[in-house]
Amino acid sequence: MTTAPARPKDLYPTRGAAEVTTPRQDPVVWSAPDAPGPIQPADLGAFERDGFLSIDQLVGPDDVARFRTETQRLITDPKIRADERSIVEPKTQEIRSVFEIHKISEVFASLVRDERVAGIARQILGSEVYVHQTRINLKPGFGASGFYWHSDFETWHAEDGMPNMRAVSVSIALTENYDTNGGLMIMPGSHKTFLGCAGETPKDNYKKSLQMQDAGTPSDEALTTMADAHGIKLFTGRAGSATWFDCNCMHGSGDNITPYARSNVFIVFNSVENSAVEPFAAPVPRPDFIGSRDFTPVR
């Protein structure tokens, strides 16, 4: 465990009396365009421009089968369900997410270390990386609720103390992502502007926000402006496909009212040169299983 460093100047004000926009102060791709790594220069350029990169098959069918088997084991384990790292749907009481899966499962720990995954994170962030967060997201059919529009960085900055936009997420599909079963939506190019949200962070906000986001959500007016400027991209793909996206992308997903489940593994890598400090707009940091304070590089 590493002690958090002193908090630097706040480059991205949020959770104040009113919404405020701030131009991005950080690079998107931190390595040189010709830096060695799994991503080709043209794709790095697309990531810089759009804030995301889709990969048709990051992991193969055998990997997907192994991850799905492990997911089923975790969500049916009474000890895991009783653990605070499991978040349940408010209405159905079904498990919605299981956090810190790389700490409770060697299967998912090996995925985090896999060069197909960690290697891309290092290339985008231009440094060694550590795991800020992992989780399984589950959207069973017939009514699983979505995740409202938000920038992850807004929350990680305000509540976890992440100083700069030097983190990247990957969502790896464990099931088919159709255009109807609550898939990921991103506003391309939205990562170039930070939207600071209005309103203070309530005490223990994470307990509510993991089920239904409230604090840190943009206004309808701001979302309309961003959508008009950037459009909305909906991601589909077979199991094993993946979407990498910048920490400041405005994104969300709708409810799944189809019969077809949508599940994914979600991993957040942060640069070791961007380790979390004290929160910028919350009384205390969120628990480690949501925003890690262990800055050990992934090996």
Side-chain angles (χ1 to χ4, degrees):
M1 186 69 66
T2 307
T3 303
R7 192 171 70 179
K9 178 183 177 182
D10 186 356
L11 298 177
Y12 301 103
T14 190
R15 311 284 174 100
E19 282 184 323
V20 58
T21 58
T22 304
R24 187 184 184 107
Q25 306 294 299
D26 298 302
V28 178
V29 176
W30 290 72
S31 61
D34 57 352
I39 305 176
Q40 296 301 309
D43 289 332
L44 273 180
F47 185 89
E48 161 74 33
R49 181 190 67 235
D50 298 327
F52 58 80
L53 175 66
S54 294
I55 297 177
D56 181 57
Q57 191 169 44
L58 182 65
V59 297
D62 291 345
D63 294 316
V64 170
R66 186 160 51 94
F67 300 146
R68 290 177 66 165
T69 297
E70 182 68 353
T71 296
Q72 189 64 24
R73 182 188 73 81
L74 292 176
I75 66 174
T76 56
D77 184 337
K79 291 182 180 179
I80 298 297
R81 182 181 179 86
D83 194 292
E84 66 174 345
R85 291 174 287 191
S86 292
I87 311 301
V88 300
E89 289 276 2
K91 293 181 180 179
T92 66
Q93 294 300 298
E94 292 184 343
I95 291 181
R96 171 184 175 91
S97 301
V98 180
F99 281 80
E100 211 171 44
I101 53 174
H102 68 298
K103 293 285 185 71
I104 60 179
S105 165
E106 177 52 37
V107 171
F108 289 116
S110 66
L111 175 62
V112 167
R113 297 190 300 264
D114 194 313
E115 190 61 22
R116 292 173 295 179
V117 178
I120 291 178
R122 293 187 193 100
Q123 187 179 6
I124 291 173
L125 301 181
S127 70
E128 293 296 323
V129 297
Y130 73 92
V131 174
H132 180 71
Q133 184 187 105
T134 60
R135 68 178 187 259
I136 303 167
N137 288 329
L138 303 165
K139 274 194 179 180
F142 300 116
S145 56
F147 294 85
Y148 196 69
W149 289 105
H150 64 286
S151 154
D152 286 329
F153 179 75
E154 193 280 336
T155 298
W156 299 339
H157 183 68
E159 300 185 39
D160 298 339
M162 186 180 289
N164 296 95
M165 295 180 183
R166 198 173 180 179
V168 66
S169 303
V170 61
S171 175
I172 303 171
L174 300 183
T175 54
E176 184 88 8
N177 281 250
Y178 301 105
D179 58 4
T180 53
N181 65 340
L184 173 68
M185 296 181 289
I186 292 178
M187 297 184 188
S190 60
H191 62 303
K192 297 292 183 72
T193 302
F194 177 74
L195 180 62
C197 297
E200 294 185 355
T201 307
K203 182 181 178 181
D204 291 336
N205 179 55
Y206 76 93
K207 293 181 179 179
K208 180 181 178 182
S209 68
L210 295 180
Q211 293 182 325
M212 186 63 65
Q213 186 90 357
D214 186 12
T217 53
S219 68
D220 291 351
E221 293 77 14
L223 286 171
T224 300
T225 298
M226 295 187 81
D228 286 346
H230 301 293
I232 296 173
K233 164 73 173 176
L234 170 66
F235 294 87
T236 59
R238 56 182 170 163
S241 64
T243 302
W244 289 86
F245 57 103
D246 179 82
C247 60
N248 191 46
C249 283
M250 188 62 67
H251 67 288
S253 63
D255 296 350
N256 182 12
I257 61 172
T258 75
Y260 309 113
R262 176 183 175 267
S263 301
N264 68 293
V265 179
F266 184 74
I267 306 169
V268 181
F269 294 99
N270 191 26
S271 169
V272 296
E273 299 172 16
N274 189 43
S275 52
V277 295
E278 290 304 305
F280 287 88
V284 294
R286 297 188 299 174
D288 282 7
F289 72 86
I290 305 173
S292 179
R293 318 302 279 191
D294 181 351
F295 311 135
T296 306
V298 172
R299 294 280 191 258

